[in-house]
Amino acid sequence: MASISAILPLCLGLFLLSQVSTAQFSFGESSRGFRGEQARQCRFEHLAALEATEQQRSEAGFTEYYNTDARNEFGCAGVNVRRWVVESKGLVLPTYAGAHKLVYIVQGRGVFGMALPGCPETFQSVRSTFEQQVRSTQKLTDEHQQIQQFQQGDVIAVPAGVPFWLYNNGDSTVIAFSIIDTGNNANQLDPRPREFFLAGRKAQQHYSYQAEQQSSNQNVFAGFNPEVLAEALGVSRQTASRLQGLNDQRGAIIRVEHGLQALQPSFQTEPTREEEQGQVYVPSQEQQQNGLDEISCSFKLRKNINNPQSTDIFNPRGGRITRANSQNFPILNIIQMSATRTVLQNNALLTPHWTVNAHTVMYVTAGQGRIQVVDHRGRSVFDGELHQDQILLIPQNFAVLVKARREGFAWVSFKTNHNAIDSQIAGKASILRALPVDVVANAYRLSREESRSLKFNRADEMAVFAPRQEQQSYADQ
């Protein structure tokens, strides 16, 4: 009996550990919210390349919307996209969304911040004062959570429910592309994208139903009784009314005329390695470090995928691929999305492939290319050209082939999995290489020599293929 009594706690501990491990694994690999149920009602028979059709003007820029409602393939996949165009000294007001979000900086640089629940205000600003000309004291003038700089090519991860703001302190316009994954299991509401404003209100000018729906939004303070709000915040009723912003017509992007006066990391011509990885951290002198805070509050929030030195796959005559996934950008384990930037030189190809565990949203950043997408019935559901600022959704497991035109082709693929896996049809590490010659020969009615040629024609290239001289004319078709 004694031995059994000693074994029981051990068995119970192992059982609980297995349950925790299973729960952690399920969090990363489970079905994505409502997406499974909704997808059963969706038919991806005809895909369409979309460009922004709605524009909502603000004081210091505008927001562009794509028609990604529930009636098309984007709504079926549970993703919603938009673009911010932010003028110099423009501030994108703090908002939080009901689902996880990725923001890609297409152009420009500036600073951004988030208000992560439970995390300390590690940036402090103090002012020295003198008492009786004998000793000096320091008076706290402000403290806030860390501010980070961003630049072209950065991917910024914004968790659901976390307020996010962005400021353009440069001389050129900032363009940012944002994708919200409403099909993620972090969203427990319906698939309609919801953004909650903490300040201001959206401008009333709109050009379509979707923009009109967005423009009717006021900030969250507007719905509270002003007297109760004033009491809760310890401010006057007049201040509470200002917070509600009922008469604020500046929109979602406002102008800060004299610049944003906030403690922030200094800019350098070339960011340091820590800044390049988004790890700027300036603790206050009196900060008590806590192991739990370190884990939850010091996550890297951005990663640059434009830097050629960070390339994952490179072909000098074909192009390059750079990935941001949970292996090199750990916060994506929470966000449950990833991003890949692909740059093809003129007439180069991206190997035919499919994504095993995610939908893909292609956003074109430069050039022009021909895209072909094939469904499970072997039918072409898209065969056309994509150019800058257009988007295309490629459903999970649909096969896709990409060929750049003469000017080259560059895009960012946003995928609805933190560690998306592509199954390549040709080249190194491809399915053709994995099949025995006889299987290939019998499957396609080829000779063994033809089968070997099919398997190894692109044996020295992976994913990105240089154009073949005899096939250059294809680009002119």
Side-chain angles (χ1 to χ4, degrees):
M1 294 294 293
S3 61
I4 294 177
S5 300
I7 291 174
L8 280 175
L10 176 61
C11 293
L12 180 60
L14 290 174
F15 172 76
L16 292 175
L17 180 61
S18 68
Q19 295 302 305
V20 172
S21 300
T22 302
Q24 291 174 339
F25 178 80
S26 299
F27 176 77
E29 306 297 334
S30 62
S31 61
R32 305 179 62 80
F34 64 86
R35 181 174 289 144
E37 179 181 353
Q38 186 187 30
R40 286 195 292 269
Q41 306 171 10
C42 294
R43 303 176 69 180
F44 298 101
E45 294 180 345
H46 300 286
L47 307 180
L50 302 182
E51 52 191 26
T53 56
E54 303 118 21
Q55 186 182 106
Q56 194 172 69
R57 183 71 199 181
S58 296
E59 180 184 49
F62 54 88
T63 305
E64 292 183 327
Y65 296 94
Y66 294 76
N67 183 25
T68 55
D69 60 32
R71 293 166 291 183
N72 62 24
E73 59 267 26
F74 287 86
C76 288
V79 292
N80 187 273
V81 302
R82 65 206 59 194
R83 284 200 334 155
W84 291 315
V85 178
V86 187
E87 299 168 3
S88 179
K89 296 184 180 180
L91 172 66
V92 178
L93 291 172
T95 62
Y96 62 93
H100 298 316
K101 175 167 60 178
L102 289 181
V103 178
Y104 176 73
I105 305 300
V106 182
Q107 173 186 306
R109 61 190 307 157
V111 295
F112 74 92
M114 299 185 202
L116 296 165
C119 293
E121 294 78 26
T122 56
F123 280 50
Q124 291 189 345
S125 176
V126 297
R127 181 177 62 210
S128 296
T129 59
F130 293 88
E131 297 179 359
Q132 300 178 351
Q133 299 182 348
V134 176
R135 62 176 182 173
S136 63
T137 60
Q138 290 185 327
K139 182 179 180 181
L140 182 67
T141 60
D142 190 21
E143 62 178 5
H144 51 78
Q145 290 189 13
Q146 63 175 313
I147 296 176
Q148 297 188 26
Q149 56 178 304
F150 66 81
Q151 62 182 346
Q152 180 176 335
D154 278 350
V155 175
I156 303 172
V158 186
V162 172
F164 169 80
W165 58 268
L166 177 151
Y167 177 65
N168 178 5
N169 59 5
D171 296 326
S172 62
T173 300
V174 166
I175 300 176
F177 181 86
S178 171
I179 177 169
I180 300 175
D181 185 9
T182 58
N184 192 288
N185 54 16
N187 176 31
Q188 299 186 31
L189 302 173
D190 60 47
R192 184 159 61 97
R194 288 176 169 84
E195 286 190 296
F196 300 79
F197 275 65
L198 287 178
R201 57 182 294 182
K202 289 200 173 183
Q204 293 299 315
Q205 185 178 9
H206 57 80
Y207 300 97
S208 77
Y209 173 77
Q210 182 177 358
E212 180 179 1
Q213 290 294 98
Q214 296 289 341
S215 69
S216 64
N217 290 351
Q218 298 177 346
N219 74 53
V220 295
F221 292 123
F224 291 115
N225 177 277
E227 285 82 7
V228 179
L229 179 63
E231 181 182 1
L233 300 180
V235 297
S236 67
R237 190 187 186 287
Q238 181 181 8
T239 298
S241 297
R242 295 288 295 273
L243 292 175
Q244 293 179 318
L246 298 180
N247 297 317
D248 192 341
Q249 301 298 323
R250 295 175 298 171
I253 307 170
I254 67 171
R255 192 178 311 282
V256 183
E257 291 291 351
H258 302 292
L260 191 67
Q261 302 298 314
L263 191 64
Q264 56 189 264
S266 60
F267 281 88
Q268 303 177 13
T269 304
E270 292 294 334
T272 65
R273 181 176 180 181
E274 290 76 15
E275 290 173 335
E276 176 69 30
Q277 296 177 347
Q279 294 175 324
V280 178
Y281 181 70
V282 183
S284 61
Q285 293 180 353
E286 299 179 359
Q287 165 111 24
Q288 296 285 328
Q289 294 300 332
N290 178 301
L292 192 58
D293 287 343
E294 282 293 297
I295 293 173
S296 61
C297 300
S298 62
F299 262 125
K300 181 173 66 173
L301 298 176
R302 69 178 179 92
K303 179 176 175 61
N304 193 279
I305 56 175
N306 273 31
N307 189 346
Q309 296 179 349
S310 302
T311 295
D312 295 295
I313 297 174
F314 175 67
N315 183 332
R317 295 181 53 242
R320 64 182 186 269
I321 296 175
T322 308
R323 300 188 180 101
N325 55 36
S326 58
Q327 298 181 37
N328 56 26
F329 195 14
I331 196 173
L332 295 186
N333 276 302
I334 296 174
I335 302 299
Q336 293 288 291
M337 287 190 285
S338 55
T340 300
R341 183 170 186 262
T342 304
V343 178
L344 296 182
Q345 297 181 19
N346 59 316
N347 299 326
L349 298 97
L350 182 68
T351 179
H353 68 280
W354 64 85
T355 301
V356 174
N357 55 352
H359 298 305
T360 301
V361 176
M362 289 181 64
Y363 170 67
V364 181
T365 57
Q368 188 169 341
R370 181 179 179 182
I371 320 301
Q372 299 179 65
V373 184
V374 178
D375 69 5
H376 63 290
R377 294 187 177 95
R379 297 185 302 189
S380 174
V381 292
F382 183 85
D383 185 356
E385 301 282 330
L386 283 185
H387 57 75
Q388 187 171 356
D389 294 332
Q390 284 189 314
I391 61 174
L392 176 70
L393 182 116
I394 303 171
Q396 177 186 8
N397 286 318
F398 281 40
V400 57
L401 173 62
V402 181
K403 182 173 176 64
R405 292 306 194 185
R406 287 187 177 275
E407 63 269 37
F409 192 41
W411 73 94
V412 178
S413 296
F414 300 92
K415 297 177 181 286
T416 58
N417 190 291
H418 65 95
N419 192 26
I421 299 172
D422 289 339
S423 185
Q424 301 173 15
I425 295 177
K428 290 182 179 179
S430 67
I431 61 168
L432 288 177
R433 288 285 296 272
L435 296 176
V437 168
D438 275 4
V439 172
V440 175
N442 283 277
Y444 302 110
R445 295 190 291 187
L446 300 174
S447 68
R448 289 178 60 84
E449 186 59 33
E450 290 172 325
S451 299
R452 278 191 290 268
S453 177
L454 175 62
K455 284 189 60 170
F456 300 112
N457 266 345
R458 291 284 190 175
D460 59 339
E461 297 176 294
M462 175 179 286
V464 178
F465 295 164
R468 296 289 174 89
Q469 293 298 323
E470 64 272 15
Q471 296 170 344
Q472 289 283 347
S473 60
Y474 173 86
D476 300 322
Q477 293 179 6

